[in-house]
Amino acid sequence: MKEQQPLSRLILKVSGESLPLFTTLLQSGIEAPTENDTSLGRFLGGFPGFSADYLAETVQTIFLNGTAVDDLTIPLTGERPVLALSAAMPGLAGAIFRKNSFHAALRTETGSKDSGPQKSHIITVTLKLFNSIARERGEELLRRGVCLQTKALSDFLERRDNLRQEIRVIHLDGTAIDLPGLAGCLAEHDRVHLTIEESND
């Protein structure tokens, strides 16, 4: 198997008041490695702020590969599972997909069933955060650094000229680049380790 090269490290320094607006980037998904068969709860507990109380009280909707699930002991399997978290959603949809909902029987089951024990190996989980979950937990995640697809970042910035203008400093692997050159640099990478922090200016 081909050895993976270390990810390039991209640092964006933005005006302090704009940092919360960058948390919507987390809707596109960040990537994190874990062993297959790691439970949802254990995986999520490795992220800052995702305590047992927070998962129980604030995270009201969990989708695993497009299917709403209630049980945090469900194992993560497959090479690239996708996990999406949301606070309570409004209306009937919110009632149906909410954890432990009376209306859970109305869900359409589309997820695959567990095929039994698998040999332990590392898989990549895509984690998507929506609404207040992204707002509450996103700033710390971005300050600490996340791995994501560069296309997601490029598309995010291309649609938000106001946020591009809030970027004060850009460093890629320790080298300063300007905003016009950012798109070209991102095009040369499939994935990147991104940190977003407040500028001192």
Side-chain angles (χ1 to χ4, degrees), residues 58-72:
T58 304
V59 178
Q60 293 297 313
T61 305
I62 302 174
F63 287 96
L64 176 59
N65 297 326
T67 299
V69 297
D70 298 330
D71 188 355
L72 290 175

Side-chain angles (χ1 to χ4, degrees), residues 61 89-104 107:
T61 305
M89 297 185 294
L92 179 60
I96 291 173
F97 293 119
R98 193 168 303 137
K99 289 187 303 181
N100 303 313
S101 168
F102 174 78
H103 302 283
R107 297 175 183 168

Side-chain angles (χ1 to χ4, degrees), residues 115-186:
S115 58
Q118 300 183 38
K119 185 177 179 180
S120 178
H121 65 281
I122 300 300
I123 61 176
T124 299
V125 181
T126 298
L127 175 64
K128 300 183 177 185
L129 304 181
F130 292 90
N131 49 54
S132 63
I133 307 297
R135 292 192 297 272
E136 292 170 1
R137 304 270 71 92
E139 289 186 52
E140 186 173 1
L141 283 171
L142 292 174
R143 289 191 187 100
R144 288 165 61 107
V146 295
C147 171
L148 77 170
Q149 298 284 333
T150 52
K151 186 178 186 305
L153 178 58
S154 295
D155 291 347
F156 176 84
L157 293 175
E158 184 178 350
R159 295 192 301 266
R160 294 168 175 81
D161 181 67
N162 60 318
L163 291 187
R164 290 201 307 273
Q165 302 310 314
E166 299 296 335
I167 299 174
R168 302 290 186 253
V169 177
I170 305 171
H171 285 101
L172 181 64
D173 292 331
T175 300
I177 59 177
D178 58 16
L179 185 59
L182 178 58
C185 290
L186 291 178

